[in-house]
Amino acid sequence: MPSFLSRWLAKAPAPVFILYAVVVAFSTYFCMYAFRKPFAAATFHGQSFFGSGVQLKTALVISQIIGYALSKFIGIKVCSEAGGAKRARLLVWLIACAEGALILFAIVPPNWRIIPIFFNGLPLGMVWGLVVSYLEGRRTSELLLAGLSCSFIVSSGIVKDFARALMEGTVAKWWNAVPVIGPTIASWGSSVSEAWMPAVTGFYFLVPFLISVWLLNQIPRPDAQDVKERVARKPMDRRERLAFVREFSFGIILLCSAYFFLTGYRDFRDNYQVELFDGLGYAYKQNQMIISRTETLVAFGVLGALALLSLFRENKSGLLAAFGVMSGGAALMGISTLLLDAKMISGFWWMTLIGLGSYLAYVPYGSLLFDRLIASTGIVGTAVFAIYVADAVGYTGSVGLQLFKDLAESGTSRLVFFKHYTYFMSILGTICLVSSCVYFLRRQRRVTKIQTPVQSEIINA
């Protein structure tokens, strides 16, 4: 039985529904990042992994990414089959497991922290698909998914700045201004160690996450007009998933090839922003909010570009526009690096522009690209399945990039390595994205729709 709030949302004006859905979805995924990314704010300076040539932070980043990548493979089945209220219970369970792993992270010796950080990433990779499943298949999906996508752009920077504030003791000072309980909490410690900082950050965001999930679960299912314009969305079984892959195999290969390297690029920039800004001459003590400022500008740019895609009501033109935004983002990465090398822009604006370009290319994979692809082909299923196929491939590439840097390019600074990789990613990404766009547009002319029982019922209705 739908709750009063759910029934009210089903009848609410479109702007009210959009605002509600964007806020609660944004908040849910924003809070998830407080369990995933705070450890990246620590540098673990001078610590190597069991005395090897691999730095401890690199080992921790790789371990979490491996867990996160494995989660994407698991999510291909779990997220594409999850439905109803089970999604909310699963979201809470996943976060509880992630926080438990962060507590273990604080307890075990440094070199053994790769184990709890792996189990921290293992559940978190499925959160995105579960949140997207509440928003896909609607006439307003572009706006909803654009708003959601800004969450992981903004949250990553804010969470890392919050984590740094915990370690610096700034957060404890903030508590002194809170009546009654504030001074007591502040007295617990002026600063938090690198080991305990991830778990403490998670505790701060636990209650907001639970509230956000409850509100998210009140979003009503797509209505009849949504189904008419964007095709019915339903869980996909193994047979339907294999049929989808066979139908669009070459296009999926092109998309996944670009995403393999793009995910590694985006993760490298995200995990080593502190080190990259240091290399560019922006020391943290003099630039304590620089990551948040950069990512906020990037988020507004991405939100504006993706929101414009909602103007394309026809699915084919919408798909073409999505590929245009993604290809333009890939090109922007290379152009901005050329400008930096020519000393025409500062390091701050370079980090902002490559962030904007990489997210313009990256974000549609996890949101509106596959939603438009499903809608334009008429396949009854869920975009979450295609999203998780791409994610499983992408995070595998992220692990490879981390290892390649420390083992094959150990004598190169992270900044120099990253600049060279930006040129490579810009050229490869543009080629793959343009080629896949041509493939899918041609494929739609002769696509054979994958029939399912649900689709047959719709056709025969």
Side-chain angles (χ1 to χ4, degrees):
M1 181 71 180
S3 67
F4 169 78
L5 179 56
S6 184
R7 294 194 301 272
W8 178 79
L9 286 169
K11 299 177 182 179
V16 174
F17 173 80
I18 291 171
L19 179 62
Y20 176 92
V22 166
V23 169
V24 298
F26 181 101
S27 177
T28 301
Y29 205 71
F30 183 102
C31 291
M32 185 282 289
Y33 255 69
F35 300 87
R36 183 186 172 203
K37 283 297 181 181
F39 88 97
T43 60
F44 304 100
H45 183 69
Q47 301 180 61
S48 62
F49 181 59
F50 283 110
S52 67
V54 178
Q55 297 181 32
L56 178 60
K57 182 170 182 178
T58 301
L60 294 173
V61 169
I62 290 173
S63 184
Q64 190 193 50
I65 292 175
I66 291 174
Y68 203 74
L70 182 57
S71 183
K72 296 299 182 180
F73 283 100
I74 298 171
I76 291 173
K77 174 178 173 63
V78 173
C79 294
S80 61
E81 294 181 1
K86 183 168 70 173
R87 292 176 297 188
R89 292 193 296 270
L90 186 54
L91 281 168
V92 173
W93 183 82
L94 293 172
I95 290 299
C97 292
E99 178 63 12
L102 292 179
I103 295 173
L104 288 176
F105 180 89
I107 297 172
V108 302
N111 283 317
W112 294 104
R113 287 175 187 158
I114 61 166
I115 297 175
I117 204 67
F118 166 84
F119 285 104
N120 168 262
L122 188 59
L124 294 179
M126 287 178 272
V127 174
W128 175 260
L130 294 171
V131 177
V132 167
S133 66
Y134 284 97
L135 308 181
E136 68 165 311
R138 303 174 189 272
R139 286 162 289 170
T140 56
S141 284
E142 280 80 13
L143 291 174
L144 301 180
L145 294 171
L148 171 62
S149 298
C150 287
S151 63
F152 63 79
I153 302 173
V154 175
S155 60
S156 181
I158 293 177
V159 163
K160 286 197 282 286
D161 280 337
F162 182 84
R164 294 293 291 265
L166 277 174
M167 292 186 291
E168 295 287 334
T170 308
V171 174
K173 295 177 182 177
W174 294 345
W175 276 110
N176 286 316
V178 179
V180 186
I181 63 171
T184 301
I185 297 176
S187 67
W188 291 348
S190 60
S191 62
V192 179
S193 68
E194 286 186 332
W196 275 103
M197 172 268 293
V200 173
T201 303
F203 278 126
Y204 270 94
F205 286 84
L206 185 57
V207 172
F209 176 81
L210 294 174
I211 295 172
S212 299
V213 169
W214 185 86
L215 293 172
L216 180 69
N217 201 47
Q218 306 311 305
I219 295 178
R221 295 174 61 84
D223 60 26
Q225 190 61 34
D226 288 326
V227 172
K228 181 179 178 181
E229 291 193 22
R230 294 298 178 91
V231 183
R233 303 304 167 96
K234 76 174 199 67
M236 299 173 73
D237 59 27
R238 181 175 180 274
R239 178 181 61 83
E240 292 164 340
R241 294 195 296 267
L242 289 174
F244 181 89
V245 172
R246 284 196 299 267
E247 186 70 26
F248 303 108
S249 56
F250 185 68
I252 291 173
I253 289 172
L254 285 171
L255 286 175
C256 287
S257 296
Y259 201 58
F260 179 87
F261 294 101
L262 181 60
T263 304
Y265 182 89
R266 176 254 178 185
D267 261 16
F268 194 94
R269 177 183 177 274
D270 193 38
N271 286 311
Y272 299 108
Q273 276 181 311
V274 173
E275 290 85 349
L276 291 174
F277 271 120
D278 281 346
L280 290 166
Y282 297 88
Y284 174 74
K285 288 189 176 181
Q286 288 75 43
N287 301 274
Q288 295 186 7
M289 298 298 291
I290 193 169
I291 298 177
S292 295
R293 294 203 308 271
T294 301
E295 303 306 77
T296 300
L297 290 172
V298 171
F300 275 112
V302 172
L303 179 62
L306 297 188
L308 289 175
L309 296 180
S310 64
L311 300 176
F312 296 87
R313 299 297 299 272
E314 200 273 320
N315 290 315
K316 181 179 179 179
S317 59
L319 183 64
L320 178 61
F323 272 114
V325 168
M326 295 167 70
S327 301
L332 178 60
M333 293 157 58
I335 293 171
S336 58
T337 307
L338 284 172
L339 293 176
L340 177 71
D341 286 340
K343 298 183 179 180
M344 297 177 67
I345 58 174
S346 66
F348 172 82
W349 283 109
W350 177 66
M351 285 290 286
T352 302
L353 290 174
I354 62 170
L356 176 61
S358 61
Y359 277 113
L360 286 176
Y362 177 87
V363 167
Y365 275 97
S367 53
L368 56 89
L369 174 64
F370 292 114
D371 187 68
R372 281 290 196 179
L373 182 59
I374 293 286
S376 64
T377 57
I379 295 170
V380 176
T382 171
V384 171
F385 163 65
I387 290 170
Y388 268 68
V389 169
D391 270 349
V393 173
Y395 281 100
T396 303
S398 185
V399 173
L401 181 64
Q402 304 288 334
L403 289 173
F404 180 80
K405 164 62 185 74
D406 270 25
L407 298 179
E409 296 285 338
S410 59
T412 305
S413 70
R414 287 195 172 107
L415 177 59
V416 172
F417 172 81
F418 187 61
K419 286 174 63 177
H420 294 164
Y421 188 64
T422 300
Y423 284 122
F424 168 79
M425 185 64 250
S426 179
I427 296 170
L428 178 71
T430 303
I431 292 173
C432 286
L433 289 169
V434 171
S435 300
S436 58
C437 177
V438 173
Y439 168 85
F440 281 111
L441 291 177
R442 289 183 175 179
R443 190 67 176 167
Q444 285 180 40
R445 299 173 186 172
R446 58 183 185 277
V447 66
T448 302
K449 293 182 180 180
I450 302 174
Q451 296 288 324
T452 67
V454 173
Q455 189 174 16
S456 298
E457 290 173 12
I458 293 172
I459 293 172
N460 295 327

